[in-house]
Amino acid sequence: MSEMLKRSKGKIVIVGAGFVGASTAFAIASSGIASELILVDVNMEKAYGEAMDLNHGLAFLSPCNIDAGDYPDVKDADIIIIAAGSGRKPGETRLDLAKKNANIIKAIIPNIMQYYNGGVLLVISNPVDVLTYIIQKMTGLPASKVLGSGTVLDSARFRYLMGQHCKVDIRNIHGYVIGEHGDSEVLVWSRVNLAGEKIDEYCNACEKKCGGIERDKIAKGVREAGAEIIKRKGATYYGVALSVTRICEAILKNQRSILTVGSVVDGPYGIKDTALSLPSIVGINGIEKIFELNLLPEEEEDLRKSAAKIRESIDSVLEDNMVDVK
Ligand code: NAD
């Protein structure tokens, strides 16, 4: 069988059945990509309730075995999604959240590894870059097998805002956000294209002539999207659920899609021993290859700063000696 035709069984386990985990389960079930979907949560009633609710939609969906479960279900899973942990509360710093969620991860990972026999770990919990790093180090799995949802959502927000601004179908806009899933993320303007046309050439021909000011507005919109949604409805979950479903589709169907997932990197742009997002080929084995885009010097500089910021957070969490990383 050719590499491209390799398919998985389609079993996904989601640890953490809160807003994000349950929405992801809904998006995955609706997409029809999985044959088995298991929800695990420290609050077993919640996981059970979510599974019941999802099962009542199966009359309208592709067949899928949906159930609440426990860590033994990790055995034979193609993807184990980690969505446990809370979001940032008012007054809580990112570092407070990192330490709190690192403790939750510390409790979960040994349970997963007790039954793990392959498959891709896909981290959503925040701060996703820090936790992706900690999980890869704790498990000792190859970096290609421990993915963060990273900036897949941020890239989608970027394309959405560009589509709205240019009045062009989002699917015809290619653009990547790389680096941290957070404030220091880098919008790679130099590589944005519409139908193959570089954004600068597109802008030159466009009658709007909006220039740099609109770019700043779009960048701000992407960076502050999460905080804006949280201010209005308390949490974000639909966008990330669909981003994660897209990553799962690429894995289960071995699509070799290029997505800005996060992973522990050792070398691109001279960046070592930190987790961050770069355009990566995603297939059945996780990350097949990381792309080093040709960046402008200032974009590369911003990426290095973003990597340094993530590394600083990782060091602060590790300093507390809360997690045993190899
Ligand atoms: P939530 O509070 O609604 O759900 C968290 C769930 O985790 C709860 O059901 C809780 O019972 C469960 N949980 C806690 N400790 C556990 C443990 N030890 N074992 C198993 N389950 C446990 O939170 P949410 O809104 O679903 O957010 C979940 C995480 O996703 C947060 O860290 C949030 O910041 C993050 N998030 C990430 C992105 C992204 O783009 N990466 C986007 C939105 C939210």
Side-chain angles (χ1 to χ4, degrees):
M1 196 163 36
S2 85
E3 271 299 302
M4 288 294 280
L5 288 177
K6 263 192 201 164
R7 293 279 173 92
S8 62
K9 301 171 299 297
K11 178 176 179 184
I12 299 180
V13 172
I14 302 179
V15 181
F19 283 122
V20 171
S23 304
T24 300
F26 179 74
I28 288 171
S30 304
S31 72
I33 57 171
S35 57
E36 196 175 354
L37 192 50
I38 308 291
L39 295 166
V40 177
D41 199 292
V42 70
N43 179 349
M44 289 172 87
E45 285 299 312
K46 172 88 164 88
Y48 193 71
E50 295 293 356
M52 278 179 78
D53 202 359
L54 287 163
N55 274 320
H56 299 164
L58 277 179
F60 316 107
L61 299 174
S62 299
C64 182
N65 288 320
I66 304 174
D67 208 346
D70 210 339
Y71 290 102
D73 292 297
V74 162
K75 188 167 177 289
D76 295 334
D78 298 292
I79 305 173
I80 302 112
I81 296 174
I82 299 164
S86 49
R88 193 144 59 112
K89 302 282 175 300
E92 196 174 44
T93 66
R94 281 179 193 278
L95 196 55
D96 292 337
L97 178 72
K99 289 180 179 177
K100 190 162 80 184
N101 284 348
N103 265 331
I104 291 176
I105 292 305
K106 192 179 157 192
I108 289 171
I109 293 301
N111 295 330
I112 290 178
M113 292 315 285
Q114 193 181 342
Y115 300 99
Y116 175 88
N117 61 346
V120 172
L121 299 195
L122 177 49
V123 189
I124 315 180
S125 309
N126 270 328
V128 67
D129 304 300
V130 175
L131 298 184
T132 301
Y133 180 91
I134 289 174
I135 291 170
Q136 194 269 323
K137 298 296 172 189
M138 274 185 83
T139 59
L141 292 173
S144 57
K145 288 271 190 191
V146 182
L147 277 59
S149 58
T151 53
V152 176
L153 173 60
D154 311 69
S155 296
R157 285 170 172 160
F158 186 22
R159 292 171 61 205
Y160 166 73
L161 291 175
M162 285 294 294
Q164 289 290 299
H165 174 73
C166 299
K167 301 203 181 337
V168 170
D169 186 338
I170 186 171
R171 292 169 300 180
N172 297 117
I173 298 175
H174 294 279
Y176 296 117
V177 177
I178 59 176
E180 185 195 19
H181 169 64
D183 296 342
S184 73
E185 64 193 15
V186 182
L187 281 71
V188 188
W189 284 105
S190 66
R191 295 281 131 193
V192 173
N193 79 66
L194 283 83
E197 186 87 309
K198 274 190 168 178
I199 186 71
D200 286 342
E201 288 157 12
Y202 181 88
C203 288
N204 283 340
C206 171
E207 64 282 357
K208 275 186 159 183
K209 302 277 176 261
C210 53
I213 296 168
E214 287 297 319
R215 288 193 187 186
D216 290 348
K217 237 165 79 180
I218 289 169
K220 191 169 182 290
V222 175
R223 276 204 187 88
E224 295 178 3
E228 281 294 322
I229 297 168
I230 289 170
K231 196 167 83 186
R232 288 172 170 83
K233 57 175 261 190
T236 73
Y237 34 92
Y238 298 135
V240 71
L242 289 163
S243 308
V244 169
T245 301
R246 178 68 190 91
I247 301 168
C248 290
E249 182 189 30
I251 296 168
L252 294 181
K253 296 187 177 176
N254 197 25
Q255 289 176 331
R256 300 180 62 84
S257 306
I258 297 173
L259 299 166
T260 52
V261 289
S263 64
V264 176
V265 298
D266 202 19
Y269 307 100
I271 299 168
K272 291 189 172 189
D273 203 30
T274 193
L276 82 175
S277 295
L278 291 170
S280 311
I281 297 185
V282 179
I284 200 159
N285 298 313
I287 294 180
E288 306 282 353
K289 184 185 167 175
I290 293 177
F291 275 101
E292 251 183 275
L293 296 173
N294 256 327
L295 300 176
L296 295 176
E298 56 269 32
E299 290 169 340
E300 206 170 312
E301 183 53 30
D302 287 348
L303 182 64
R304 270 188 245 287
K305 282 187 195 153
S306 186
K309 194 177 159 229
I310 297 165
R311 185 65 233 192
E312 209 178 292
S313 305
I314 292 169
D315 289 339
S316 304
V317 173
L318 296 183
E319 233 170 55
D320 280 20
N321 204 17
M322 294 186 313
V323 273
D324 179 20
V325 297
K326 293 160 185 100

